C-alpha cells in the first residue's frame, strides 16, 4: 500500500460499517479492530510487506473469536 494514498480514516469507517452491516443482517461477526489497535504497539500483528496476520495476529484474532463464541454459548472444545 502506498502510504501517501492510503486513507486510514476511510478504511476504519468502511470496516466499522461492514461489521455493523453483518451484525444487522444476523451474521455473527467478531470486531477485531479494538483488540488489534490495543495490541499493535506490543508486537507486530501483520507482516511488514503484506496484509496477512503474523502468528501473533492470528493468535489474537482466534482468542477474540473464541471469547465471542463462548459468550454466545457455543460448545467448548474437549476430547472427542
Amino acid at each position: 500500500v502506498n502510504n501517501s494514498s492510503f486513507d486510514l480514516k476511510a478504511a476504519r469507517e468502511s470496516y466499522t460499517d461492514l461489521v455493523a452491516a453483518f451484525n444487522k443482517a444476523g451474521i455473527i461477526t467478531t470486531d477485531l479492530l479494538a483488540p488489534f489497535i490495543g495490541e499493535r504497539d506490543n508486537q507486530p500483528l501483520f507482516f511488514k510487506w503484506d496484509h496477512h496476520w503474523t502468528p501473533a495476529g492470528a493468535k489474537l484474532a482466534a482468542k477474540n473469536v473464541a471469547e465471542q463464541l463462548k459468550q454466545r454459548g457455543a460448545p467448548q472444545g474437549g476430547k472427542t
Side-chain angles (χ1 to χ4, degrees), residues 3 9 11 13 15 18-19 33 38 51 54 57-58 60-61 66 69-70 72 76:
N3 289 335
K9 182 179 177 189
E13 287 176 6
Y15 174 83
L18 183 62
V19 170
L33 185 59
H51 62 277
T54 62
L60 180 62
L69 290 171
K70 185 176 179 181
R72 291 182 172 272
Q76 300 299 301

Side-chain angles (χ1 to χ4, degrees), residues 2-37:
N2 180 346
N3 289 335
S4 64
S5 65
F6 182 73
D7 186 341
L8 181 59
K9 182 179 177 189
R12 284 186 179 172
E13 287 176 6
S14 177
Y15 174 83
T16 301
D17 291 347
L18 183 62
V19 170
F22 282 161
N23 287 323
K24 185 176 180 182
I27 301 168
I28 298 170
T29 307
T30 303
D31 185 350
L32 296 173
L33 185 59
F36 270 63
I37 288 173

Side-chain angles (χ1 to χ4, degrees), residues 1 3 46-52 54:
V1 174
N3 289 335
F46 293 89
F47 288 108
K48 190 172 186 174
W49 300 111
D50 68 26
H51 62 277
H52 293 95
T54 62

Side-chain angles (χ1 to χ4, degrees), residues 35-46 54-57 59-60:
F36 270 63
I37 288 173
E39 188 64 27
R40 70 180 174 193
D41 292 335
N42 296 326
Q43 57 188 330
L45 301 174
F46 293 89
T54 62
K59 184 176 181 179
L60 180 62

